[in-house]
């Protein structure tokens, strides 16, 4: 396993574009901390974002994992190109001839994806933990370490998304087209939802079905955290709106994403096995 | 003799096209093999199958008597097929390091092999800056990193300039001299003739011949003769039982032997007949002539 990761590391780290993207990704993850510095004054109203409760435990776990997940596109580019470049440089052929099995090839890519997700999760944990300790109004241990399921959801979300990218890289073989396909797929999911609700089934069933589609399932894992903010809630109350979103991470949402992940890994392997290079 | 590769009734179809048809042959340790055949005769496909990059339709193959899985066997093989494939953004040394990791061999031999192919002074240049000849030499260095049991080369001189072709051939000869088993696929016959002891000849996916180079045609060679009195010579040769076909081209007579005959013997016999020669050469058919003969026979 270490050998497979080392192989992937040599390939990635010697590629300048990948290296820059990976570094900027982690710099951006750290930069969530900069949000704390947002402060402005409009006349008599002083606004300091850090005082709005966004860094309170356990809400911070929710907020930070949601924001951090937005940056995943950077790594998606790296992952799609690390897969499709093997095709365009024909190095996949040479790898196999040199004695890497097809199984090992897919495994080395998947292990890299898991490592990326794991390192990101640890990163987000540390950044949030430090921010929380600095700004949170609550500092009892039981509160600090509650709602950690958001970190698990974040990890699963990244693994699922990156595995999808991996699969697209193998399927399409060209990085630009694979990324295009990713965007196209996001739109297709919405179209499927629209068609189902409009013509075939009730809107409720349609949105349940939509929840099973890969990208939607991944985004459902962590619901947007903004409407949970006190300020937003009170504004909503004033205009007579009730915000009734389910913010919890549900086990079945995690299962759905894990199923997609398994399917994508399997399909990547099946595709590679079937193809003549 | 230790078997390195056994291929049994191998077939490969690409849709309707039968690229390899019921092919069987054996590669034994210590020999230098050539796979010959025109373009599209299934050479690369066959190599692709035994190298794990093309799926077979039917048949079997086994490396080292089938004692290990294919991908583990390939760690003991060095192979280059068609174009050299490396990571363009990595230097020669970085690429070879990666190959060492895949083959699970220590990276202590990198400098030695780069030296062998004459790329040591360019070891820290990116692969993308290499000329085709240099890329091909790097591929050979990479294939040799594990001191392979067998070196497989598919059209190693394709697309190279004369100097590059010469360099690659010198390297192949050097490696062959060290006793490494080599399998060389090529449509360039003189290339194979210069280094190979055994050949497998393919045409349209079928095997025409497999065995020693000199056993390819049951031939005793031929004489090339020239004299002032051409008619007399032709008359004598035509009556002689040892000769088959006799051809004349620009006064040069080519007489194909049906049985063994020494050049001295012929010279003496002709002199006794009053025929003096200005030119006498005994030759074996070149591989090219034998190959054309063989593929022609099969076509009829």
């Amino acid at each position: 396993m270490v050998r497979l990761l080392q192989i992937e590391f040599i390939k990635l780290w010697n590629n300048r574009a990948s290296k820059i993207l990976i570094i900027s990704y982690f710099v951006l993850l750290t930069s969530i901390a900069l949000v704390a510095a947002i402060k402005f004054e409009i006349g008599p109203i002083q606004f300091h974002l850090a005082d709005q409760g966004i860094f309170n435990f356990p809400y911070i776990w929710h907020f930070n994992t949601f924001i951090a997940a937005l940056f995943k596109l950077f790594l998606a580019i790296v992952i799609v190109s690390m897969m499709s470049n093997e095709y365009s440089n024909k190095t996949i052929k040479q790898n196999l001839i040199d004695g890497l099995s097809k199984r090992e090839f897919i495994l080395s890519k998947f292990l890299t994806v898991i490592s990326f997700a794991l390192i990101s999760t640890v990163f987000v944990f540390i950044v949030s933990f430090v921010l929380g300790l600095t700004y949170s109004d609550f500092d009892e241990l039981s509160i600090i370490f509650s709602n950690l399921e958001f970190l698990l959801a974040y990890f699963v979300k990244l693994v699922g998304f990156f595995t999808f990218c991996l699969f697209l890289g193998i399927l399409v073989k060209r990085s630009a087209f694979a990324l295009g396909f990713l965007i196209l797929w996001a739109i297709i999911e919405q179209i499927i939802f629209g068609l189902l609700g409009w013509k075939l089934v009730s809107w409720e069933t349609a949105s349940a079905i939509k929840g099973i589609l890969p990208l939607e399932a991944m985004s459902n894992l962590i619901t947007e955290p903004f409407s949970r903010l006190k300020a937003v809630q009170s504004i909503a109350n004033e205009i007579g709106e009730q915000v009734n979103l389910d913010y919890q991470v549900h086990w079945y949402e995690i299962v759905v994403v894990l199923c997609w992940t398994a399917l994508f890994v399997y399909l990547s392997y099946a595709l590679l096995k079937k193809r003549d290079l | 003799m230790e078997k390195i590769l056994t291929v049994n009734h191998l077939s490969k179809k690409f849709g309707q096209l039968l690229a390899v048809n019921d092919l069987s042959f054996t590669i034994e340790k210590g020999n230098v093999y050539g796979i010959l055949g025109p373009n599209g005769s299934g050479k690369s496909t066959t190599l692709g199958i035994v190298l794990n990059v093309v799926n077979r339709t039917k048949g079997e193959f086994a490396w080292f008597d089938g004692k290990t899985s294919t991908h583990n066997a390939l760690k003991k093989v060095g192979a280059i097929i068609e174009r050299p494939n490396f990571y363009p953004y990595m230097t020669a040394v970085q690429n070879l390091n990666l190959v060492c990791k895949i083959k699970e061999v220590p990276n202590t031999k990198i400098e030695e092999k780069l030296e062998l192919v004459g790329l040591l002074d360019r070891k820290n240049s990116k692969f993308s800056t290499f000329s085709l000849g240099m890329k091909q030499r790097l591929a050979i260095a990479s294939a040799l990193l594990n001191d392979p049991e067998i070196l497989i080369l598919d059209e190693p001189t394709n697309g190279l300039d004369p100097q590059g072709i010469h360099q690659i051939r010198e390297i192949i000869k050097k490696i062959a001299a060290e006793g490494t088993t080599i399998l060389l696929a090529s449509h360039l016959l003189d290339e194979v003739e210069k280094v190979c002891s055994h050949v497998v000849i393919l045409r349209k996916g079928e095997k025409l011949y497999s065995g020693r180079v000199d056993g390819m045609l049951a031939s005793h060679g031929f004489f090339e003769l020239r004299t002032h009195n051409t008619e007399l010579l032709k008359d004598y040769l035509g009556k002689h039982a040892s000769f088959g076909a006799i051809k004349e081209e620009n006064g040069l007579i080519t007489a194909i032997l049906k049985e063994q005959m020494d050049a001295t013997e012929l010279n003496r016999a002709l002199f006794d007949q009053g025929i003096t020669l200005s030119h006498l050469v005994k030759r074996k058919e070149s591989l090219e002539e034998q190959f054309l003969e063989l593929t022609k026979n099969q076509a009829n």
Side-chain angles (χ1 to χ4, degrees), chain B residues 34-277:
Chain B
I35 297 190
L36 284 180
N39 290 329
S41 59
K43 300 186 300 277
S44 298
T45 312
T46 309
L47 293 182
I49 294 173
V50 299
L51 291 174
N52 204 16
V53 290
V54 176
N55 295 313
R56 60 182 185 260
T57 312
K58 255 194 282 178
E60 274 146 39
F61 65 91
W63 286 99
F64 309 109
D65 287 323
K67 280 175 271 179
T68 48
S69 67
T70 302
H71 79 270
N72 275 323
L74 290 182
K75 287 176 189 154
K76 294 193 271 176
V77 173
I80 307 157
I81 52 179
E82 289 156 359
R83 298 267 147 161
N85 302 318
F86 287 99
Y87 296 87
Y89 51 82
M90 275 155 59
T91 66
V93 171
Q94 286 168 341
N95 268 302
L96 295 189
N97 255 319
L98 181 66
V99 175
C100 284
K101 271 273 172 296
I102 292 176
K103 285 190 179 286
E104 294 184 277
V105 291
N107 53 12
T108 44
K109 294 214 160 148
I110 291 180
E111 303 243 325
E112 175 196 327
K113 302 302 177 192
L114 282 174
E115 172 93 68
L116 177 75
V117 299
L119 281 176
L120 197 55
D121 53 332
R122 291 293 302 271
K123 65 175 187 173
N124 288 323
S125 307
K126 282 190 176 153
F127 176 70
S128 53
T129 66
F130 282 13
S131 71
L132 183 59
M134 294 164 80
K135 288 177 176 175
Q136 198 62 273
R137 281 185 280 149
L138 180 66
I140 292 181
S142 149
L144 290 172
L145 278 174
N146 52 346
D147 289 320
E149 301 261 345
I150 177 172
L151 181 65
I152 297 179
L153 302 161
D154 186 5
E155 310 280 6
T157 57
N158 228 3
L160 296 186
D161 59 14
Q163 200 198 358
I165 293 176
H166 180 71
Q167 283 172 331
I168 299 285
R169 281 192 188 153
E170 288 305 307
I171 294 169
I172 294 175
K173 278 187 201 160
K174 220 190 288 183
I175 299 162
E178 286 167 7
T180 308
T181 311
I182 297 181
L183 181 59
L184 176 68
S186 181
H187 60 266
L188 301 174
L189 296 150
D190 54 335
E191 191 165 289
V192 172
E193 191 172 24
K194 275 176 189 146
V195 287
C196 297
S197 58
H198 291 66
V199 279
V200 176
I201 297 181
L202 301 179
R203 197 172 55 98
K204 291 184 183 162
E206 280 185 77
K207 182 177 78 179
L208 297 185
Y209 175 77
S210 127
R212 298 194 65 86
V213 175
D214 42 22
M216 219 166 114
L217 287 180
S219 119
H220 301 286
F222 58 89
F223 282 110
E224 277 177 359
L225 308 164
R226 199 191 289 272
T227 183
H228 300 298
N229 202 339
T230 311
E231 288 311 311
L232 200 61
L233 177 62
K234 273 166 78 179
D235 198 44
Y236 173 79
L237 294 174
K239 283 177 190 157
H240 202 296
S242 301
F243 293 99
I246 292 155
K247 283 178 283 186
E248 188 188 345
E249 204 174 316
N250 300 327
L252 184 74
I253 294 174
T254 306
I256 314 275
L257 275 170
K258 285 203 286 196
E259 54 185 52
Q260 195 55 44
M261 184 190 267
D262 202 32
T264 345
E265 200 184 317
L266 178 70
N267 198 7
R268 190 180 299 126
L270 288 175
F271 194 73
D272 290 345
Q273 295 288 319
I275 305 168
T276 48
L277 296 171

Side-chain angles (χ1 to χ4, degrees), chain B residues 285-296:
Chain B
E285 284 90 348
S286 71
L287 192 57
E288 183 172 334
E289 285 157 329
Q290 294 189 50
F291 175 73
L292 290 174
E293 190 65 23
L294 199 63
T295 44
K296 192 175 71 192

Side-chain angles (χ1 to χ4, degrees), chain A residues 3 6-7 10-11 14-16 86 89-91 93-102 104 273-277, chain B residues 12 14 51-55 71 74-75 79 81-82 85-90 94 97-99 101-104 126:
Chain A
R3 165 176 160 256
Q6 280 173 334
I7 289 174
I10 296 176
K11 292 179 191 171
N14 290 317
N15 185 338
R16 192 186 294 156
E86 301 271 9
N89 296 332
K90 288 201 175 174
T91 42
K93 199 168 167 180
Q94 196 61 43
N95 281 179
L96 297 182
I97 291 170
D98 286 338
L100 205 66
S101 70
K102 289 182 174 176
E104 281 178 326
K273 204 167 174 177
K274 200 173 141 278
R275 268 189 195 149
D276 292 325
L277 293 163
Chain B
K12 172 67 186 177
F14 288 112
L51 291 174
N52 204 16
V53 290
V54 176
N55 295 313
H71 79 270
L74 290 182
K75 287 176 189 154
I81 52 179
E82 289 156 359
N85 302 318
F86 287 99
Y87 296 87
Y89 51 82
M90 275 155 59
Q94 286 168 341
N97 255 319
L98 181 66
V99 175
K101 271 273 172 296
I102 292 176
K103 285 190 179 286
E104 294 184 277
K126 282 190 176 153

